[in-house]
Amino acid sequence: MIYNEEFETLPRPALEALQLKRLNDTLSRVYANVPFYKQSFDKAGIRPDSVTSLEDLQKLPFTYKQDMRDSYPYGLFAAPMEDIVRIHASSGTTGKPTVVGYTRKDIEIWAELMARSFVAAGAHKGDIIHNAYGYGLFTGGLGAHYGAERLGASVIPMSGGNTKKQIMIMQDFGSTVLTCTPSYSLFLAEAAEEEGIDFKKLKLHVGIFGAEPWSEAMRVEIEAKLDICAIDIYGLSEIMGPGVAIECRVAKKGLHIWEDHFIAEIIDPDTGELLPPGEKGELVITTITKQGIPLIRYRTRDITSINYEPCACGRTHARIDRMSGRSDDMLIIRGVNVFPSQIESILMGIEGVEPHYLLIVDRKDNLDTLEVQVEVDERLFSDEIKHLQTLSLTIEKAIKDLLGITCKTRLVEPRTIARSEGKAKRVIDNRKTV
Ligand code: DLL
């Protein structure tokens, strides 16, 4: 089944012509309405009307997460605030989040692209969609919610957490589709087992999992434990939220990126050069229909490759490979984006803490864990133990308050953490991904 047969199966020449037209409209709009883009195009000597082919896109400068941070909160918006009907945000490299705004039309397009994504994953109107992505500033919850309603399915707005209740609802309400992070799906399965509930007896037939990296091995495990088909969905708040790309259930080989709304390029992250199909590099996305905050050549930092071969499902939109990592140091811990520098600035603001630390990320019982090892002032070690305990709690609370993640701290004596002569190794990530 295909949700929007006309657009999802457009022959490539027509699709590319549509992309060029929409690109030109977007370029004119950002040039006229966003001072940042006017300046950056002027600096590069480019006028919007000098872009006459999709190849010309390569002449345009990139947009970075830093540019969004520099224009915090609304500086890159291309529509007036009275036309913005929704605001979402995700973590940036400082305490300030990256802010995005949607016009009514943006929300409608997002709902349609999520509805397309649900159908590509094998969901349909009669499904009961159990949505355990978080509702709030994070785009996961509301993105999936609007898409499920657009499809005409029954959506259960569970949001994250409250695991026992999730299982009860899934069982009693007869949920047929599960949407959450892949790690949470395994956690749900284990929690169900502890409750003596056989997950395989639930009515679920498909899970639509994303927001964090996961591997093919993890898919095999999820499919076996939950007895469902596990589909990979990709997205990022800067570009829209969930539903930028999704695997189709028919081929389950690569994620179709909705090319009538986004132009994808794969570049060498070091040189910025365009790479040919099949080669791994950084995904760069240009939005071509967004009104609230259109982005030109946005550096996602996600590493993948692109494939334009026809797909067995009949969709003509290119497929990107499962994300195999990031070209920056962003970590995703229980779905929350975290930069080591954020933890560093929290630590450095706490009395008695030395500037040497190590973050150890692991996955236990299918949930991400974070241990923060940090050196503390020598005098604290000769002090009473309760002072160390208080300091640990202070650090854990500050990280929870500012970043929203739970961690364990391990205070160590000065000179315990290995020093490095080059780049300091701040993170040990023991989670298995690809
Ligand atoms: O995670 C949007 C989303 C919600 C996607 C629900 C899918 C499902 P952000 O919080 O802005 O948005 O984080 C975006 O998460 O740049 C990737 O590094 C990572 N990511 C998202 N989906 C996947 C995936 C949402 N399927 C960042 N595989 C992105 C690997 C993913 N990484």
Side-chain angles (χ1 to χ4, degrees), residues 364-380:
K364 294 202 180 90
D365 298 330
N366 297 311
L367 273 191
D368 296 334
T369 60
L370 169 66
E371 179 181 289
V372 178
Q373 286 186 9
V374 62
E375 292 183 8
V376 293
D377 198 312
E378 205 137 23
R379 278 164 306 171
L380 273 169

Side-chain angles (χ1 to χ4, degrees), residues 90 133 138-140 209-214 232-238 241-242 255 300 302 323 326 330 332 335 337:
S90 80
Y133 282 121
F138 175 58
T139 52
F209 305 128
E212 64 183 11
W214 55 311
D232 192 3
I233 183 166
Y234 169 80
L236 63 168
S237 50
E238 296 93 312
L255 292 80
T300 68
D302 291 314
M323 299 296 140
R326 290 186 54 89
M330 188 176 93
I332 303 182
N337 302 349

Side-chain angles (χ1 to χ4, degrees), residues 49-188:
D49 54 15
S50 63
V51 171
T52 56
S53 69
L54 288 177
E55 288 69 47
D56 284 346
L57 187 61
Q58 284 170 62
K59 297 184 195 153
L60 296 169
F62 294 117
T63 308
Y64 297 87
K65 200 174 181 110
Q66 179 68 37
D67 298 320
M68 303 187 75
R69 206 163 71 190
D70 292 345
S71 56
Y72 176 85
Y74 303 141
L76 290 188
F77 284 18
M81 276 316 278
E82 58 260 36
D83 291 343
I84 299 292
V85 299
R86 176 100 65 80
I87 293 169
H88 280 287
S90 80
S91 337
T93 46
T94 64
K96 301 280 190 198
T98 307
V99 183
V100 288
Y102 303 74
T103 63
R104 198 168 296 287
K105 175 111 183 288
D106 290 335
I107 297 283
E108 273 167 21
I109 290 175
W110 187 11
E112 146 138 20
L113 298 189
M114 270 309 297
R116 283 188 196 180
S117 301
F118 275 121
V119 173
H124 47 79
K125 201 170 151 40
D127 271 311
I128 299 177
I129 300 181
H130 186 103
N131 185 20
Y133 282 121
Y135 282 63
L137 282 179
F138 175 58
T139 52
L142 284 165
H145 185 108
Y146 273 58
E149 283 190 353
R150 167 63 69 91
L151 177 61
S154 315
V155 53
I156 309 177
M158 285 307 297
S159 198
N162 231 334
T163 306
K164 276 190 183 165
K165 189 165 175 190
Q166 302 254 7
I167 295 162
M168 180 189 83
I169 299 273
M170 260 190 275
Q171 196 177 29
D172 295 351
F173 291 18
S175 311
T176 56
V177 176
L178 172 63
T179 53
C180 62
T181 57
S183 54
Y184 193 58
S185 77
L186 282 174
F187 187 65
L188 279 168

Side-chain angles (χ1 to χ4, degrees), residues 392-408:
S392 282
L393 290 177
T394 306
I395 295 173
E396 287 165 15
K397 182 168 183 318
I399 292 177
K400 176 85 189 165
D401 287 350
L402 287 158
L403 303 178
I405 47 174
T406 307
C407 70
K408 279 245 156 310

Side-chain angles (χ1 to χ4, degrees), residues 209-250:
F209 305 128
E212 64 183 11
W214 55 311
S215 59
E216 208 43 52
M218 192 157 163
R219 179 184 348 238
V220 172
E221 195 180 337
I222 293 174
E223 292 193 333
K225 284 206 169 128
L226 280 76
D227 194 23
I228 57 172
C229 167
I231 294 286
D232 192 3
I233 183 166
Y234 169 80
L236 63 168
S237 50
E238 296 93 312
I239 294 303
M240 181 176 81
V244 172
I246 187 147
E247 283 177 323
C248 58
R249 190 154 171 175
V250 174

